[in-house]
Amino acid sequence: MHPSIPFVDLKAQYLSIKQEIDQTIQQVLSESAFIGGKYVNEFEQAFASMLDASHCVGVGNGTDAIFIALKSLGIGPGDEVIVQVNSIIATSEAVTMTGAKVVFADIRADSFHIDPNQILKKISSKTKAIIPVHLYGNPVEMDPVLDIARKHHLFVIEDAAQAHLAEYKGRKVGTLGDAACFSFYPGKNLGAYGDAGAIVTNNEQIATQSRMFANHGRIAKYDHEFEGINSRLDSLQAAILTVKLNHLASWIQQRQNIAQKYDQGLKDVSGCITPVITKDGKHVYHLYVVRMNERERLRQFLTSKGINTGIHYPTILPALPAYRYLNHQAHDFPVGSQLQHEILSLPVYPEMTEEQIEYIINQIHQFAHV
Ligand SMILES: *Cc1c(COP(=O)(O)O)cnc(C)c1O
């Protein structure tokens, strides 16, 4: 019998903080404080302060966070927004939701991040913004992206949904562009017990605009300045997130320890490329993604040994049926088109045991030797 190692284990994390969580939930219920109010304020302030950011606006989920940030910057029909080909559809979907056009750019083969040279090729007179994604928790090398944005008068919206507390040049991601978007989907490094998200910015106007747009275009109860949407962070999720925020730094430390063991244990496996961390960056390992030529065979082998893996993402966005209307070919994005066949995400979560990590490393060696 071999062990069974899940790809994520949300239950193990809950059990490790059960008492605190149950108590908080009880408290919110007993106060019937469900929307807005002190629990939301408390979380927003704690999260902003942890990132060294001026403002945090809690919203319904990470996709809405991107949508709301774009709307707050005045982006809409007639505009273009540049998005990297390898991300979750949320990143590009949020652009389309504003009425703007998604323009895809290829990625760098070392970091899987948006390639600044490709950004340059995609800029037109209609381009309004770039959305770099701190993919897998590895911070984007922001300086070249910010330089391009400055030169061409573009907004930069960081998609930091996978990168809570990641750093670039000593600064937390989420504070490097005009606005940043976080997701607290349960499986993210900081996860709620349902959907939740936030916009983080140092720009007061963007913060106010986002807060109003997310809440029917109002601040006071019936004082609607414009039409918005309903996308609020609810108090139960906020209270849960505040509890978890106190554990986040140590959970990330654990993820980094696991990543270090993988790096060490896999460096001699032929054909296996371990993650390349951005220079001057701090990776928070939402995902630990290796490149392997024989990805499919390795994946099947690991599955047969009880090891669950993931692929993030199996199809680059422009190749999805949802973007057929853009008429792209694989050779429009040679790097992304190739890498989608090579990437494999190994389990990485704070509650993993030494034995589990060693077992996974050993099995990958086994695979490489047969
Ligand atoms: C999870 C995620 C989102 C979307 O967040 P939701 O809360 O699921 O809406 C956006 N971008 C990236 C890179 C993500 O990983």
Side-chain angles (χ1 to χ4, degrees):
M1 265 304 283
H2 54 64
S4 173
I5 304 177
F7 185 64
V8 286
D9 193 346
L10 298 182
K11 193 168 173 187
Q13 191 191 65
Y14 167 61
L15 293 177
S16 75
I17 51 169
K18 183 176 184 316
Q19 222 179 351
E20 278 179 282
I21 292 284
D22 291 358
Q23 199 180 344
T24 291
I25 291 176
Q26 270 313 316
Q27 202 175 333
V28 176
L29 295 184
S30 66
E31 292 174 28
S32 292
F34 297 123
I35 302 283
K38 72 174 184 195
Y39 294 103
V40 174
N41 295 339
E42 196 185 349
F43 171 70
E44 288 178 341
Q45 279 168 25
F47 193 57
S49 131
M50 195 171 276
L51 299 183
D52 247 326
S54 315
H55 308 276
C56 169
V57 179
V59 296
N61 57 70
T63 311
D64 280 359
I66 305 172
F67 170 57
I68 294 163
L70 289 164
K71 288 290 288 187
S72 300
L73 291 167
I75 291 166
D79 298 335
E80 294 180 358
V81 177
I82 299 177
V83 174
Q84 71 179 62
V85 295
N86 181 8
S87 186
I88 187 167
I89 195 170
T91 315
S92 47
E93 200 175 42
V95 172
T96 311
M97 281 159 71
T98 68
K101 184 180 176 214
V102 182
V103 175
F104 287 113
D106 208 354
I107 52 176
R108 293 168 45 155
D110 54 353
S111 62
F112 310 99
H113 291 144
I114 195 162
D115 181 342
N117 296 320
Q118 298 304 319
I119 296 176
L120 284 173
K121 287 188 185 155
K122 298 293 178 146
I123 292 176
S124 79
S125 59
K126 294 179 180 166
T127 311
K128 286 284 160 26
I130 311 167
I131 311 184
V133 182
H134 301 294
L135 200 69
Y136 309 148
N138 189 24
V140 171
E141 187 180 353
M142 288 296 283
D143 282 349
V145 177
L146 293 169
D147 279 349
I148 293 172
R150 223 170 284 128
K151 263 187 212 124
H152 296 266
H153 307 289
L154 308 176
F155 293 117
V156 174
I157 298 150
E158 296 169 74
D159 183 339
Q162 303 186 352
H164 320 73
L165 304 194
E167 289 177 16
Y168 174 67
K169 293 197 166 172
R171 286 170 64 190
K172 299 279 190 305
V173 308
T175 61
L176 305 164
D178 295 285
C181 305
F182 286 87
S183 166
F184 308 117
Y185 179 79
K188 300 286 157 83
N189 284 13
L190 176 61
Y193 291 157
D195 278 312
I199 296 147
V200 166
T201 178
N202 286 327
N203 180 317
E204 184 168 1
Q205 205 185 334
I206 297 173
T208 305
Q209 196 71 14
S210 296
R211 193 174 291 289
M212 290 177 76
F213 186 76
N215 193 18
H216 303 296
R218 74 183 169 198
I219 293 177
K221 195 150 192 178
Y222 293 113
D223 194 14
H224 307 276
E225 300 259 341
F226 52 85
E227 286 184 328
I229 58 169
N230 173 1
S231 182
R232 298 175 295 227
L233 173 61
D234 76 63
S235 314
L236 263 176
Q237 300 307 341
I240 288 164
L241 288 168
T242 301
V243 168
K244 289 181 130 197
L245 199 54
N246 295 323
H247 298 275
L248 186 59
S250 79
W251 285 336
I252 286 170
Q253 184 67 56
Q254 301 276 66
R255 287 174 181 274
Q256 289 165 336
N257 293 345
I258 296 165
Q260 211 173 16
K261 293 198 176 100
Y262 276 141
D263 284 347
Q264 202 58 32
L266 298 176
K267 71 179 188 320
D268 299 328
V269 174
S270 92
C272 177
I273 303 174
T274 54
V276 178
I277 304 180
T278 297
K279 184 169 171 290
D280 302 320
K282 189 183 126 191
H283 194 323
V284 292
Y285 295 101
H286 171 57
L287 295 166
Y288 186 94
V289 178
V290 296
R291 280 175 63 188
M292 192 85 178
N293 272 327
E294 296 185 282
R295 193 268 312 277
E296 275 318 303
R297 271 210 324 120
L298 172 62
R299 186 168 203 218
Q300 280 165 23
F301 177 82
L302 294 178
T303 305
S304 77
K305 300 295 180 185
I307 300 164
N308 291 284
T309 57
I311 299 174
H312 300 87
Y313 296 89
T315 308
I316 56 168
L317 296 169
L320 290 171
Y323 294 105
R324 206 174 278 144
Y325 70 92
L326 291 173
N327 283 316
H328 282 302
Q329 308 294 320
H331 60 73
D332 294 337
F333 310 104
V335 180
S337 298
Q338 176 58 31
L339 288 183
Q340 67 184 351
H341 301 296
E342 298 183 10
I343 47 181
L344 187 69
S345 311
L346 303 179
V348 56
Y349 41 94
E351 298 77 18
M352 282 180 83
T353 63
E354 297 273 340
E355 294 73 42
Q356 288 177 318
I357 302 158
E358 245 165 62
Y359 175 73
I360 295 169
I361 292 169
N362 287 338
Q363 291 306 318
I364 295 174
H365 277 275
Q366 280 283 319
F367 173 82
H369 288 134
V370 291

